[in-house]
DNA sequence: TATGAATGAGCATTCATTCAT
DNA sequence: AATGAATGAATGCTCATTCAT
């Protein structure tokens, strides 16, 4: 994973040079080949360390993978998503369409950048209840209240239809998740007009969510 | 995968008793543990046959898996989906809301029934371009024209907004796919009020897709 | 092995069509890949029969191979060699150089034709004492007396030096065997001027074996 | 292969104790049973190591065999042959008969000592072009010039007949190779009077190669 | 901290052979 | 005579993990 939009140093504090190398190499190979498709030997080779060192530092392969997955979710995916969301929502002039537009485009860029790794995260999540719960908890505690409050505010203004915010959020998330999966995981290398597609999707969503007079 | 709603005999014609046993055992274990989590030894044991027989009949593990995945997509998932869709669309009184309602509910039941296996189909698809293309082709050739025509008919009647049918279809599919993934793959055993959720989702979609006077 | 210079029917008498097919296919594949490099499955496939049939007819793989090796030695290599030798020796005007010339050239042609198979025979012989003894016995009983008598006759005439005929025979055979091995087994596809080489070899041998006045 | 006449340490430098054990065990079993007749399990058992270690050190069975074969040819067979040949040829009083006598006897002793292993080297060579070329190259570059020069020297003195040295060398080698094969590979445990046989063979060769006045 | 030799269980796959039909 | 399904032992090889240094 590249580090254009966040600083790595934070998460690597306390790691030796070699430990970092292991972490980074493992991240790349896991992303490309999945958990069971990756061997510790390959990781060690890529990292330029002795295979035994992996086990000194990360106990075993599963834990290495989980540490990477958790750290990716905890330190990168969620904070960035939350941070950006907070920023977008904090603007006074932000309405639903504006929010969805920025959110979808930004998150899609993020997915574009990290897609191989995200694929692994999703797959791992579908087997790993702990990672699931962690992500859900983070979302529920940090993302949900923020967005929910935004929706409620606009509902009070009579702009958004009167549905339970959680339902609206789930609808928006579902659309985005489904779109991303069709877009990236299934149709990996398609020519695809994202701008138009997202605009249409948002049009329909806004059409469905915004109150008429 | 159970066989409540279709007949197995067709696909198993020409298979020995033991061959069928291998197929079925493999299906179950693959569904539970994924491709690389499953060993041929385990399959053989469950099927009650010598391990070598697997290779006599299916050449190798990958081909066994692919045969199962393809047959599931080709003989079960797609035909049933297409058949049901055709039936729903053929009714004269069918409008968008009615269609979405039946479609979402039925397909969700289908997913409920076969969820473990579908999970590995999706995962496999994300790595296997051949399976991907096969599914895309089937969809494009068999599902798309049918639904597209339905949409166009209703657009002519002035009921559905004037967007390219392919965009409308993708929007609907994305919502359903995203919902299903949140519902089953991530939140595997949640208490979850499907009826209400689906109803809301359809409300929003219809709101967004149906023309106002 | 082709059958330009002998008739197959003799050895195949009593064999069914499929049995013959197995025999021929096995011969070819053994010749190409050696004993343990050849699988009964491959033989069956090439012969166009069920694998089980091989074992009905030839009991097991080892016996199939041995039958082929023995039959090749017994029915083809030795009879032909003996027949040709007898014919060459029977001519009144035959002297040592003439004999060596015809013998070396003819046997070399034979080797050229059957080289892959002969390779197997030699390899098998080095492990299979029974085949060894069989070949030695055949040679001692049928080839040796004939050639020995020819040598003795010429020694009496004062043409060939007075060494035990068995030693002379062994010298000649060694030269030919060594030459053939260098020629075919090691230098498989070399450009190589056989006529000149053989002529030189015979020159030296005759030089060494023919008495001077 | 025993190590009476050369020092092992040189070739085993950098090898672990266990690695050496694998090498030695493999050498013995390969020599006895040939390449495909030998299993890695058997090697590991004899060497007293875990089977996996073989693959850590030698990558795979084929490479293990080749390393042994190459090392045998490169470090043992050729150097010894070349060394002895050089020594014999360097003596001023050396004539053809003297050279052949020492060479044949010494090389025959060498073959006697290592015959099981040499058998598989020859057999492997007939399938393995790389090993073939390696041996040929070594011979052409190191043995041939030395002997060729010796022959030319004696030809100038008018002692050896005027044939292309390469032909003379091939004749001598063929005789020796053919003799060795008849002697050891085919007639494995015969009573056999080597001294007399070799003397006769050399007599005939010298007779054929030495010029008369 | 770091190495790399060593382990041993596990894996997919092959193969000669048997047997019911 | 012929088939081909079925066997089960064996094989080469991989891999996560341990341990002495």
């Amino acid at each position: 994973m590249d580090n254009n939009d966040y600083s790595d140093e934070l998460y690597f504090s306390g790691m030796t040079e070699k430990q970092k190398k292991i972490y980074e190499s493992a991240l790349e190979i896991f992303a490309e080949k999945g958990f069971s498709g990756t061997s510790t030997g390959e990781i060690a080779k890529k990292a330029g360390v002795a295979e035994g060192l992996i086990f000194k530092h990360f106990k075993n392969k599963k834990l290495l993978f989980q540490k990477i997955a958790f750290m990716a979710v905890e330190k990168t995916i969620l904070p960035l998503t939350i941070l950006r969301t907070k920023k977008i929502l904090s603007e006074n002039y932000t309405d639903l369409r504006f929010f969805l537009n920025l959110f979808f485009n930004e998150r899609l860029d993020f997915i574009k950048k990290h897609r191989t790794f995200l694929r692994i995260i999703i797959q791992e999540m579908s087997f790993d209840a702990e990672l699931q719960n962690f992500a859900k908890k983070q979302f529920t505690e940090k993302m949900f209240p923020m967005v929910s409050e935004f929706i409620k505010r606009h509902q009070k203004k009579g702009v958004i239809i009167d549905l339970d915010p959680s339902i609206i959020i789930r609808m928006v998330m579902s659309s985005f998740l489904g779109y991303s999966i069709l877009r990236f995981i299934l149709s990996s290398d398609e020519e695809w007009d994202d701008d138009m597609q997202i605009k249409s999707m948002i049009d329909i969503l806004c059409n469905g969510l915004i109150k008429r007079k």
Side-chain angles (χ1 to χ4, degrees), chain A residues 69-86:
Chain A
F70 267 85
M71 250 166 81
V73 172
E74 186 181 7
K75 307 282 184 182
T76 309
I77 302 174
L78 282 175
L80 280 175
T81 305
I82 290 166
L83 196 74
R84 293 303 302 145
T85 307
K86 187 176 282 171

Side-chain angles (χ1 to χ4, degrees), chain A residues 62-151:
Chain A
K62 189 80 202 170
L63 283 178
L64 167 61
F65 181 85
Q66 281 175 341
K67 183 153 203 168
I68 290 173
F70 267 85
M71 250 166 81
V73 172
E74 186 181 7
K75 307 282 184 182
T76 309
I77 302 174
L78 282 175
L80 280 175
T81 305
I82 290 166
L83 196 74
R84 293 303 302 145
T85 307
K86 187 176 282 171
K87 203 169 172 203
I88 301 173
L89 292 179
S90 68
E91 307 285 351
N92 265 328
Y93 53 81
T94 301
D95 64 1
L96 184 63
R97 180 178 306 270
F98 182 86
F99 167 68
L100 290 179
N101 206 30
L102 245 68
F103 183 83
F104 278 25
N105 277 299
E106 267 197 10
R107 289 304 90 198
L108 204 68
D109 284 344
F110 183 80
I111 291 175
K112 268 181 201 166
K113 238 191 234 153
H114 306 299
R115 70 155 114 175
T116 48
F117 187 64
L118 286 170
R119 182 162 65 185
I120 302 301
I121 294 282
I122 287 179
Q123 290 188 10
E124 185 54 19
M125 234 182 227
S126 83
F127 285 108
D128 183 342
E130 210 181 332
L131 186 56
Q132 252 173 55
N133 290 331
F134 176 75
K136 266 189 269 179
K137 192 159 166 271
Q138 292 285 316
F139 184 86
T140 314
E141 286 174 4
K142 295 184 179 151
M143 273 290 281
F144 183 80
M146 198 162 58
V147 184
S148 179
E149 201 247 343
F150 168 84
I151 292 172

Side-chain angles (χ1 to χ4, degrees), chain A residues 21 31 47 51 72 79 88-89 91 100 110 154 157 165 185 193:
Chain A
K21 269 306 236 170
E51 207 176 344
I88 301 173
L89 292 179
E91 307 285 351
L100 290 179
F110 183 80
H154 282 75
K157 284 201 246 166
I185 299 192
D193 183 349

